[in-house]
């Protein structure tokens, strides 16, 4: 899996997708999904979690490769505490992880965020 899709989805949509995946697996289809999914219950929650600073952090980290939080804060020209807070949030969301040396990295080659105007209203 090389891509993660971020979107707003209701609880009903989440369970519909889970049931569909379970039926596929029960039928013997173990083909992995082409993309991971990260869902938020509303647009406001998505936008609070993925702030402009965090998008910049993700792009910088993806471009530069695995690094320490301190080195990343220097690259971004930001305070260590703020970068550490953003890294913690992104680790919790699964948008970044740590390699075997403990360095942070973006494991995805593509992150797509989907937000429709109906969901944003």
């Amino acid at each position: 899996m090389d891509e993660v899709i971020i979107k707003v989805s209701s609880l009903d949509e989440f369970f519909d997708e889970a049931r569909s995946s379970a039926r596929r697996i029960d039928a013997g289809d173990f083909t992995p999904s082409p993309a991971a999914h990260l869902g938020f219950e509303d647009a406001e929650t998505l936008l609070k979690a993925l702030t402009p600073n965090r998008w910049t952090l993700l792009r910088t980290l993806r471009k530069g490769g695995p690094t320490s939080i301190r080195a990343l804060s220097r690259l971004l020209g930001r305070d260590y505490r703020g970068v550490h807070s953003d890294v913690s949030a992104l680790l919790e969301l699964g948008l970044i992880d740590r390699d075997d040396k403990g360095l942070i990295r973006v494991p995805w080659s593509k992150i797509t965020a989907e937000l429709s105007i109906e969901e944003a209203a």
Side-chain angles (χ1 to χ4, degrees), residues 3-8 38 46 50 55 110-116:
E3 177 184 8
V4 62
I5 298 171
I6 302 166
K7 64 182 183 175
V8 173
L38 176 60
L46 185 153
L50 298 171
W55 277 113
K110 184 176 182 183
I111 298 175
T112 304
E114 297 177 0
L115 185 63
S116 76

Side-chain angles (χ1 to χ4, degrees), residues 67-76 78 80 83 104:
T67 191
S68 68
I69 297 173
R70 187 161 309 284
L72 180 60
S73 66
R74 281 192 297 266
L75 274 174
L76 293 168
R78 291 182 48 206
Y80 174 85
V83 174
I104 53 172

Side-chain angles (χ1 to χ4, degrees), residues 1-3 5 21 24 30-37:
M1 220 174 318
D2 213 23
E3 177 184 8
I5 298 171
S21 293
R24 189 176 45 75
F30 299 101
T31 307
S33 174
H37 293 269

